Amino acid sequence: MLYRAVIVKILVTGSNGQVGHDFKCLAENSRHDWICFDRKGLDISDEQQVADVIARERPHVVINCAAYTAVDKAESEPDRAFAINAYGAANLAKACQAHGAALIHISTDYVFAGDTLAPYEESDPTGPTGIYGESKLAGEQAIAEYLERHIILRTAWVFGAHGNNFVKTMLRLGAERDELGVVADQWGAPTSAAGIAACCLAIAEIIDAKDCAEIPWGIYHFTGLPSTSWHGFAEKIFKDAVAIGLLDKAPKVNAISSDQFPTPAKRPSNSQLDCSKIFNCFQITPDNWEDRLLDVLKLSL
């Protein structure tokens, strides 16, 4: 990734989430001017509060990590999901437009139907199959409508040392059970929260260092590599957890189908995202999630 020795005033929303938490870690060792807000400090669904905070702080770049991410719960709470993921994104875009700030917004693979075989490119047709994906797509569309200076970063299968995620769930189940079933017919690429934070910081520095006209604004994909299934991800988690002494032994992981594990919201069969555009435009390469996973597991010791 490309980093420049410039001082940027960066405002981060959702600082208590997985990715937002990693920005707080970056801020401790960065020369940049950081303002990190959790939901209590800045509720992005409150249009007036967003306008007031952006006007007061005058950041160069806003990084939006605030999101409603309860995929299944969104099916019964559509108003709440849209309030944060769609209208909250619109509020930030309007405030950034009013005060000359750029916006980096984190989105998701759920904007796609997930029914293809090849990795999705940024220009591929969207088609969310649930409320969460619909609300995130509406947020993308609102940002594009209200603000030219934006980067939308779609990612997938996020894990980190902070918050709830698949890695934490597997470690808990692995300590409790000798055997479990994990879906093997959904494919994607695990992506570390730390990698997403580093990617956003690199883009923020490029934005501040270049003329606005030189920045290729728009949508980008960023995930880890290599691709795997949830079953493959689980097996790697257990293998590494045993190797470093986090678990005494690995449970047997049985491969099951999506039909055997029904959920209120349909999961994409294919969550793979093509990340060539972000390399071509920003020279940012995907992380090796296996290396990042080991870092996360060591923090759990």
Side-chain angles (χ1 to χ4, degrees):
M1 294 184 180
L2 174 65
Y3 294 87
R4 294 177 63 90
V6 294
I7 298 176
V8 187
K9 188 170 188 181
I10 302 171
L11 188 150
V12 177
T13 67
S15 63
N16 272 349
Q18 285 195 88
V19 179
H21 184 269
D22 273 276
F23 277 113
K24 289 194 290 188
C25 296
L26 281 177
E28 294 175 358
N29 300 296
S30 170
R31 61 178 295 180
H32 301 304
D33 185 2
W34 295 84
I35 315 106
C36 297
F37 287 100
D38 60 17
R39 189 177 180 186
K40 291 181 180 179
L42 177 57
D43 180 356
I44 67 169
S45 66
D46 185 329
E47 184 173 7
Q48 189 58 57
Q49 186 183 25
V50 170
D52 291 345
V53 167
I54 300 299
R56 182 184 73 235
E57 300 294 347
R58 294 295 180 111
H60 299 108
V61 180
V62 174
I63 302 177
N64 182 32
C65 301
Y68 181 103
T69 58
V71 175
D72 289 325
K73 203 172 181 180
E75 296 299 306
S76 59
E77 293 185 345
D79 291 346
R80 188 178 176 197
F82 271 83
I84 299 170
N85 294 341
Y87 309 133
N91 294 338
L92 287 169
K94 292 175 184 177
C96 287
Q97 176 64 27
H99 298 286
L103 175 62
I104 300 174
H105 172 77
I106 298 173
S107 192
T108 175
D109 61 294
Y110 277 77
V111 301
F112 295 112
D115 55 2
T116 65
L117 296 178
Y120 282 98
E121 297 180 2
E122 289 83 351
S123 58
D124 284 336
T126 53
T129 60
I131 297 299
Y132 170 67
E134 290 175 4
S135 67
K136 292 295 287 184
L137 179 59
E140 290 187 7
Q141 294 168 339
I143 290 169
E145 177 181 354
Y146 293 117
L147 179 65
E148 177 188 1
R149 301 180 67 214
H150 70 267
I151 298 291
I152 293 169
L153 195 72
R154 292 176 181 154
T155 189
W157 293 23
V158 181
F159 70 92
H162 180 78
N164 298 318
N165 53 63
F166 185 77
V167 173
K168 298 286 190 68
T169 299
M170 289 300 103
L171 290 177
R172 176 176 57 80
L173 293 177
E176 297 172 351
R177 304 181 187 179
D178 295 323
E179 186 174 345
L180 65 153
V182 180
V183 171
D185 58 0
Q186 296 172 16
W187 283 78
T191 313
S192 73
I196 296 169
C199 173
C200 290
L201 175 56
I203 294 174
E205 292 178 334
I206 293 169
I207 288 172
D208 197 66
K210 288 189 175 183
D211 183 85
C212 177
E214 298 178 330
I215 302 296
W217 306 105
I219 298 172
Y220 292 86
H221 291 169
F222 178 83
T223 63
L225 284 176
S227 294
T228 188
S229 66
W230 288 114
H231 178 268
F233 190 16
E235 288 200 315
K236 179 61 175 173
I237 292 167
F238 293 132
K239 179 181 178 181
D240 286 358
V242 170
I244 65 173
L246 190 57
L247 291 176
D248 292 333
K249 65 176 182 177
K252 181 181 179 183
V253 185
N254 298 313
I256 64 174
S257 69
S258 298
D259 292 339
Q260 292 174 277
F261 190 74
T263 55
K266 181 182 178 182
R267 265 52 175 181
S269 295
N270 176 27
S271 290
Q272 298 173 93
L273 303 178
D274 186 308
C275 299
S276 57
K277 180 182 175 184
I278 200 168
F279 175 76
N280 293 334
C281 293
F282 293 113
Q283 290 73 58
I284 292 174
T285 56
D287 281 334
N288 183 311
W289 64 262
E290 295 175 334
D291 293 339
R292 293 285 194 178
L293 172 63
L294 194 56
D295 293 339
V296 168
L297 293 177
K298 287 177 178 177
L299 289 173
S300 300
L301 285 170

